[in-house]
């Protein structure tokens, strides 16, 4: 039995979280035996299948092609996963908005209770996952014959994107359910790295006072090659769009360096960033809870400190 | 069109959860409980659909222990018309809940299910997708906008890179995200009125559903604690430490 990874992509390229899922799959294969296979279901996504075949640790790429897979609709992907699942001990996906949408639907069709957002593999059937926004860690054992699992990308290193030479095999479509149609998307345009995979993240909170003031963070981000994030308070105040949100209800990040600017450090925000390697907090309130998790805290007015920081980075 | 809104009783979002010393779970005794915040958003949206004349009836349903009645009464006070409690002492998993909900849907025949995208206790983010699969209905998760358009439903979804628009056949299952609406507070008169609204109690046995858990909790432990670091006096000191001590820039 092997491990099947459902690959997320946009028909042109794989999403970075696939590499983290492959690492989790390789780890699972170490416990359960078997190979790691990747499912690329898309529309004219041959280039993605070729890219997937290069990933170190992947033994086979299953490529399903059809217009019904053009936009990652769960209604069409789930039956395809069900068709393939009997040959696998585990079916996994990264816990992105794509993976969270598709995997539970497939699990229900297989009469399996999926395990969401695991942060560690203990054995072939036992996993660790955060509950209560990361305020507790549950160790759980699945008794289902095939295990469907989503993995927390920040908890597993990215597999090498090159070095593999997997065979690409075509697999038949499971058809179009016709239940839903993709109309369009409005993706946030940014030249900066993606929030969940960036090595450095700089986030602003309510203390930023306005969306315009985020321009200060952008200048620092440009110098550091950082992604920009925000607390839920900043998003709720309308400073920045929701996809900037780091936290329990937003994105989970674990960069090498996380700069929290004008963020008080609500539990819900900490849940999304406390696994960062180094945390810096700049806040004028020295009692702010963010200082309890920060490696380096600076009690200062951010409107002075951030431009100073930007200037100091030139040095 | 009937709208069915499954809701969950969870530890209040403002309470700091504590792991039990024996690592069997988190402490629930004498802890303030409330409706899951995402479920409140789902109830609000359903009530707005009724106020707009799109929905004819809003039914809230919860599965759990007797005290889940309180959560259902909150939903009724927000404007739902009636409630169903699927009463059980078994700790239910999303698969079991999805099966229970399917049985309720088969009986009630709603045109739309609105659910929170996840409960803030287990953080599973599964039930909507699973009940949709069992029903063979369309699904839209993480909705930030929902508009009924004849026999179709247009939904804007919050996805990782931004927003996505989908068009669903009805009946449909929609899981809601934070930006969909701002839930109302129930007024005192409505809380009083809610006490007289119908609340029906059934059991998993009545619905013919086996709710035996598939995933065993081995233990629940404290997350690794993060130690507070040092305070720096200036931006210059901060940059120096990041460069030479932490070596991250």
């Amino acid at each position: 039995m092997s491990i099947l990874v459902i690959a997320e992509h946009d028909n042109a390229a794989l999403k970075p979280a696939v590499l983290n899922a492959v690492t989790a799959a390789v780890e699972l294969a170490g416990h359960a035996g078997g190979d790691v296979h990747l499912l690329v279901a898309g529309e004219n996504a041959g280039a993605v299948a070729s890219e997937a075949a290069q990933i170190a640790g992947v033994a086979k790429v299953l490529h399903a092609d059809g217009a019904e897979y053009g936009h990652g609709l769960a209604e069409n992907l789930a039956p395809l996963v069900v068709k393939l699942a009997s040959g696998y001990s585990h079916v996994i996906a990264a816990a992105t908005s794509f993976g969270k949408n598709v995997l539970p639907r497939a699990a229900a069709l297989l009469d399996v209770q999926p395990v969401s957002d695991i942060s560690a593999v203990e054995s072939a059937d036992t996993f660790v996952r955060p509950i209560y926004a990361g305020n507790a860690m549950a160790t759980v054992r699945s008794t289902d014959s095939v295990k469907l699992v989503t993995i927390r990308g920040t908890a597993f290193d990215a597999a090498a994107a090159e070095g593999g030479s997997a065979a690409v095999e075509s697999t038949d479509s499971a058809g179009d359910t016709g239940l839903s149609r993709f109309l369009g998307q409005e993706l946030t345009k940014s030249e900066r790295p993606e929030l969940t995979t960036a090595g450095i993240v700089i986030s602003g909170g309510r203390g930023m006072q306005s969306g315009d003031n985020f321009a200060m963070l952008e200048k620092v981000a440009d110098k550091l090659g950082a992604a920009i994030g925000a607390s839920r308070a900043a998003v709720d105040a309308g400073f920045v769009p929701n996809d900037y949100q780091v936290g329990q209800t937003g994105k989970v990040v674990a960069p090498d360096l996380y700069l929290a600017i004008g963020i008080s450090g609500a539990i819900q925000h900490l849940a999304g960033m406390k696994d960062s390697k180094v945390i810096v907090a700049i806040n004028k309130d020295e009692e702010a809870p963010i200082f309890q998790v920060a490696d380096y805290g600076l009690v200062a007015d951010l409107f002075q400190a951030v431009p100073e920081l930007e200037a100091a980075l030139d040095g | 069109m009937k709208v069915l809104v499954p809701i969950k009783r969870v530890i209040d979002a403002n309470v700091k959860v504590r792991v039990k010393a024996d690592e069997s779970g988190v402490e629930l005794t004498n802890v303030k409980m409330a409706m899951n915040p995402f479920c409140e958003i789902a109830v609000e949206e359903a009530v707005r659909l009724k106020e707009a004349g799109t929905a004819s009836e809003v039914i809230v349903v919860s599965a759990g222990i007797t005290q889940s009645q309180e959560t259902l009464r909150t939903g009724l006070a927000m404007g739902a018309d009636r409630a169903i409690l699927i009463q059980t002492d078994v700790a239910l998993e999303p698969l079991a809940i999805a099966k229970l909900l399917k049985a309720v849907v088969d009986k009630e025949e709603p045109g739309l299910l609105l659910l929170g995208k996840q409960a803030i206790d287990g953080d599973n983010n599964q039930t909507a997708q699973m009940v949709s699969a069992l029903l063979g209905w369309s699904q839209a998760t993480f909705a930030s906008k929902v508009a009924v358009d004849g026999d179709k439903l247009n939904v804007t979804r919050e996805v990782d890179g931004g927003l996505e628009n989908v068009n669903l056949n009805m009946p449909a299952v929609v899981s809601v995200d934070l930006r969909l609406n701002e839930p109302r507070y129930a007024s005192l008169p409505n809380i009083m009125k809610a006490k007289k609204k119908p609340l029906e109690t059934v059991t998993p046995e009545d619905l013919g559903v086996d709710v035996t858990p598939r995933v065993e909790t081995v233990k629940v432990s404290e997350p690794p604690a993060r130690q507070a670091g040092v305070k720096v006096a200036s931006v210059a000191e901060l940059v120096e430490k990041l460069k030479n001590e932490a070596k991250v820039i």
Side-chain angles (χ1 to χ4, degrees), chain B residues 125-182:
Chain B
N125 197 328
Q126 295 171 347
T127 303
Q129 297 89 311
M130 296 182 83
V131 69
S132 180
L134 297 182
L135 289 165
W137 289 8
S138 58
Q139 80 178 40
T141 44
F142 327 136
S144 63
K145 198 170 161 195
V146 176
V148 178
D149 180 15
D151 61 349
K152 303 277 186 177
L153 192 70
N154 287 320
V155 181
T156 301
R157 304 178 56 226
E158 304 254 1
V159 295
D160 288 338
L163 300 173
E164 176 183 292
N165 298 308
V166 288
N167 178 264
L168 307 183
N169 289 359
M170 303 264 273
V173 177
V174 173
S175 87
V176 307
D177 215 323
L178 283 175
R179 249 138 305 276
L180 182 62
N181 60 48
E182 188 95 18

Side-chain angles (χ1 to χ4, degrees), chain B residues 16-31:
Chain B
K16 172 132 180 58
V17 301
R18 284 179 208 292
V19 172
K20 285 186 186 172
D22 66 359
E23 298 198 321
S24 63
V26 303
E27 191 54 71
L28 294 175
T29 314
N30 297 322
V31 171

Side-chain angles (χ1 to χ4, degrees), chain A residues 215-248:
Chain A
M216 291 194 309
L217 302 190
E218 287 168 13
K219 287 181 189 162
V220 176
D222 287 343
K223 292 200 172 156
L224 291 171
I228 295 190
S231 68
R232 184 175 162 192
V235 170
D236 284 351
F239 298 170
V240 287
N242 183 47
D243 54 304
Y244 280 51
Q245 193 195 142
V246 172
Q248 178 188 19

Side-chain angles (χ1 to χ4, degrees), chain A residues 33-47:
Chain A
D35 292 330
V36 173
H37 296 178
L38 220 61
L39 171 63
V40 174
E43 182 179 13
N44 300 321

